[in-house]
Every structure is written in structure tokens, then in C-alpha cells.
Amino acid sequence: MLTEKEYQERLDRVAALREKLADNLSGSLVSNPALAEELNSQIDDLVSAAVAGDEARPVPPDRGLAALVGLGPDAARSLGETLTSNGVAPYDDQVNSERIVAVGDLYYLYQHDQIGVFRVVQKLKELFESGAVRLSSGPGAYALYQFDRRDVLRYTRKDRIEAYRRVLGYGRGLGSAQSRPNTDFHMLFGHFVNQVTLFWRDKRISDVIRERAIDPSFGSIAVVRRAGLDLRNNLKFTSFGHLNVMRVELMQVLDECFKILGSEDVIDLFGADNAWDVVDEVLIRYFDERLQSSPRQRMAVTGREVLRWLAGPHILETGRGEFEAMLMNIAEPAEEWLTSAQAMSLARRSGSDRVLPWEQLGQSGVASPVAERSPLTVPPRAGARPPAYPRRNGMGTYRGGAPGRRVTLR
């Protein structure tokens, strides 16, 4: 630990060094902004090395308290002789990357679950057991038998839904073991993706219309970093528990499902070319659903890439050049995720919202999910009797019913 006098002298010397370099290189810094970033980066490295050396110095057992209050033979004669600290470890550094990767895999699984992959295999298993399809002893039939036998050892569909609710906030009700659902995830995730796409959009515009295309001063990495840190901190507390084990098991189940759907006898049964064609055929034939396989699957792949990027230390990079180089890895995935989500009305593109206030989380924002429409219902007033005959207005027809029941707009 440093004394208060040494601590203040170091800060003054660092400030004087920055001022002296800026004064001597003022002409070069104007024409070459990257030089200023490099100088500041080297000075920051020197300061970090000095702070690390301070932490290794021996410290009195009382951490300098006796000297500060004036007790004992080592009592300080002035405030400058007392010991002080450089601070504690930054909050945003203390994140386990494995847990963020697990959230990325769970998001990947959720999107495939929404497509209907698990429902398709379950339906195929029911048809196989009832003898309603021409499957007997082929590789797909045998894999279906094994899939059914292992079912009792796996997490159930209810466990999956509760995990999605607890970690990602998707669905309804409470999360696993009656836990609090993470309703802020989609808002923060969409906000971060929006800021990444806005940053690269600004960067491309800068490269076209500015005189110095290599000048990296257009666009703010601080806004992107803040959006990423908000999302990562949100996932920090929702990724505990059985998530890591569950996602490993479910990834194995998903792989097994596609091996069944891609089996030769199953593909021949539906006249398909690959496993995804089997999924689409079963969803159309037996569930009568509109297909959303393509955008959902791309959201799964690109969303997982974005979350995996957050699991690394790239978001804490302070150098602009290094940060842009790392951020380029998710530039296209972020744009593709936003385009797919926008096409499905799950997110909207923002051109001006740079900051997402905490008070708006879960209420409104740049990427709030669009709720599914429910049937229009008009609850009766207290003590009111339902109409004895149909009554029309500009919206439709109100039909009567028993007292206390809803009056449905048809």
C-alpha cells in the first residue's frame, strides 16, 4: 500500500506526463489520432504495473489504522504519512464466462424449441408406437425406441419451460422452483444488438463521407460497452443453479433429435431431403402451423454467437482499435439477428435511442417483444346483466351469456 503523499504524487506525475506528451506531439496528434490512443494506452499500462507492485508491498496487520488515528510508536505525524488504497477490483471484471456461455446455449435451445423440434420428435414417436407410419426396424425406428427409453432420465418439458422463464424471461408464470423470471433479458439483449448495429452503421457512413476514412473518431464505443455490460450483469445472477448441467443434457437431446429426423428411413417416409424438411413437413401435416424455422434458426445461431462474445473479456477492452477488431466478430451476427427478429415482430430497429434507462426495463424500450394477441374479451360490469339479445356496434356482435361470465366480442 502507498502512503497518501505517494499516492497523490503519482497522480500528479501521471497528469504532468500526459500534458507534456500532448504538448510536444500536438502537431502529430492532430493528423494522426491513433497516436494519442497509443500513448494513452502505454501510460495506462505503466500505471497498472505500478498499482500491481503496490499491492505486493507488505502491509501492517492493522492496515495502517493505528498510524491514522495516532496510536503507538508508528503514529503518523501528518496525513501524508498514512496508508491508502488504490481501490478494489472492478465490478465488471468479476464474471464467470462459463455461465454466460451456458445462457447462450440455452437461448439456442429455446429458439429450436419454439420452432418445434422437440414436438416433432414426440409426435413421430407417438405415430411410431401406434403403427400409424411405415417405420419398423430401420435406423430411425431404432433411434426412436432408444429415445423413448432414455426419456425418464432426462429433464422434462416442464423443466425446460421453467428454465427459459427463469433465465431468459420467455413464457409465463414463475421460473424454476418458483424463482423470479428474468423479464429484462430480451430488452437488454435487443438494446445491445441495436447498439452494435448502430455503431457499425455509423462506422460505414464515416468511411464514405468523411475526408479521412481511417479516422476512428466517429461512433462511440462507450455506448456499446455500457449496453453489453448491462446485459452481462443481468445474466450474472440468473445463470446460477442447474443451468450448466441442463444445457449440456439438452444439447445432447437436440443432437439426438436431428439424428433421428435425418435417418434414412424417416427421410424416405416423408419424401424429404434432410432433417429440417422433416421438421417442416410434420409441423404442416400434423400441427397445421405456419413455418418459422428459417428466421428462428438464424436467431438461435446468431444470438448464441453474440452471447458467447460477451462471455469473453472483449467488452472491457479500452483501446479503440482493439475494441473495434473484437467487435467486428459479431457485427454481421448482430445485424442478422436484428433483421430476423424484426421480421417476426420480436424486436424493432432503433436509430436514435442510445441509452436504455433502468426504469424502463420490462416496460418499453428499443427492442421490446411484441405480445401475442389474445381473443378480444369485454368483462361485464359489476352487477350488470348480460343482454337478452344480440347487440351490434361498429366492432362486431356482443352475444349474451349467463350472469358473471365474460361477454366475448365476435
Side-chain angles (χ1 to χ4, degrees):
M1 297 179 67
L2 291 175
T3 64
E4 196 278 335
K5 181 179 180 180
E6 293 172 336
Y7 179 74
Q8 186 62 44
E9 287 179 349
R10 174 183 294 172
L11 294 178
D12 293 340
R13 289 200 302 270
V14 170
L17 176 61
R18 294 182 190 274
E19 184 179 2
K20 185 65 175 178
L21 289 175
D23 183 59
N24 292 341
L25 301 174
S26 57
S28 300
L29 294 177
V30 172
S31 59
N32 187 11
L35 178 61
E37 181 181 351
E38 181 63 26
L39 290 175
N40 286 324
S41 176
Q42 293 187 11
I43 294 175
D44 291 340
D45 292 341
L46 292 174
V47 174
S48 299
V51 171
D54 297 338
E55 299 298 329
R57 295 171 61 174
V59 181
D62 64 346
R63 311 290 297 181
L65 178 61
L68 178 62
V69 299
L71 298 177
D74 297 327
R77 296 181 177 84
S78 64
L79 183 62
E81 298 178 4
T82 60
L83 298 181
T84 188
S85 172
N86 289 291
V88 298
Y91 175 86
D92 296 313
D93 289 350
Q94 310 299 313
V95 174
N96 189 331
S97 63
E98 184 181 21
R99 300 208 311 270
I100 307 300
V101 171
V103 174
D105 287 343
L106 188 69
Y107 183 83
Y108 181 84
L109 289 162
Y110 168 78
Q111 295 297 346
H112 283 85
D113 206 339
Q114 288 295 105
I115 291 171
V117 174
F118 297 125
R119 286 187 293 128
V120 165
V121 175
Q122 185 66 27
K123 185 63 178 180
L124 192 60
K125 184 173 72 70
E126 294 174 2
L127 296 172
F128 172 65
E129 293 174 349
S130 63
V133 290
R134 296 179 179 273
L135 290 176
S136 178
S137 59
Y142 185 58
L144 277 174
Y145 162 76
Q146 292 180 327
F147 186 86
D148 182 53
R149 294 298 93 189
R150 298 167 182 165
D151 190 55
V152 296
L153 302 175
R154 300 192 183 105
Y155 284 104
T156 64
R157 177 177 178 272
K158 180 175 180 291
D159 295 329
R160 295 201 312 268
I161 293 175
E162 289 179 346
Y164 299 149
R165 182 62 172 162
R166 177 176 71 87
V167 181
L168 305 176
Y170 297 141
R172 296 180 179 179
L174 298 176
S176 307
Q178 307 298 305
S179 59
R180 177 182 178 182
N182 183 20
T183 55
D184 294 336
F185 166 77
H186 188 84
M187 185 77 62
L188 293 170
F189 185 55
H191 182 60
F192 174 62
V193 171
N194 257 298
Q195 296 312 313
V196 173
T197 57
L198 282 172
F199 177 85
W200 287 109
R201 208 172 307 152
D202 292 346
K203 181 68 175 173
R204 294 188 189 101
I205 293 173
S206 174
D207 292 345
V208 173
I209 67 176
R210 293 172 69 94
E211 295 181 1
R212 298 185 299 274
I214 61 172
D215 183 2
S217 60
F218 194 70
S220 173
I221 66 174
V223 177
V224 181
R225 182 183 294 113
R226 183 66 265 161
L229 290 176
D230 288 342
L231 173 60
R232 199 173 74 161
N233 293 336
N234 172 262
L235 300 177
K236 177 180 179 180
F237 295 101
T238 60
S239 53
F240 287 108
H242 68 316
L243 170 62
N244 215 354
V245 178
M246 171 178 278
R247 60 102 179 189
V248 172
E249 179 182 294
L250 292 180
M251 289 296 291
Q252 293 178 358
V253 174
L254 183 64
D255 181 67
E256 188 175 354
C257 288
F258 270 86
K259 287 181 179 179
I260 294 173
L261 299 173
S263 300
E264 183 179 354
D265 52 344
V266 174
I267 288 179
D268 292 341
L269 176 66
F270 292 97
D273 295 328
N274 51 55
W276 278 112
D277 287 348
V278 174
V279 172
D280 293 343
E281 184 66 27
V282 173
L283 289 174
I284 294 173
R285 184 181 302 183
Y286 296 101
F287 295 95
D288 192 25
E289 291 189 1
R290 293 185 61 185
L291 298 180
Q292 52 182 356
S293 305
S294 178
R296 285 278 186 185
Q297 213 277 330
R298 293 313 302 167
M299 287 178 64
V301 173
T302 55
R304 182 169 67 165
E305 289 185 24
V306 172
L307 290 172
R308 284 181 173 178
W309 186 87
L310 276 178
H314 318 309
I315 195 68
L316 297 175
E317 182 62 55
T318 56
R320 188 181 187 91
E322 293 82 355
F323 186 85
E324 285 187 6
M326 294 296 102
L327 191 64
M328 188 177 293
N329 294 329
I330 60 170
E332 294 304 324
E335 189 73 42
E336 187 173 356
W337 183 92
L338 187 57
T339 302
S340 300
Q342 188 180 13
M344 298 185 65
S345 298
L346 296 174
R348 64 185 179 89
R349 196 178 293 270
S350 171
S352 59
D353 296 327
R354 295 285 185 171
V355 179
L356 184 64
W358 283 103
E359 291 78 6
Q360 293 186 7
L361 294 183
Q363 300 175 9
S364 62
V366 297
S368 55
V370 178
E372 297 181 0
R373 293 184 178 179
S374 58
L376 294 175
T377 58
V378 181
R381 293 173 296 180
R385 295 178 60 85
Y389 53 88
R391 183 177 60 195
R392 292 183 178 274
N393 60 11
M395 296 293 293
T397 301
Y398 287 96
R399 299 188 183 273
R405 297 182 61 185
R406 288 184 176 180
V407 180
T408 304
L409 178 64
R410 297 181 181 273

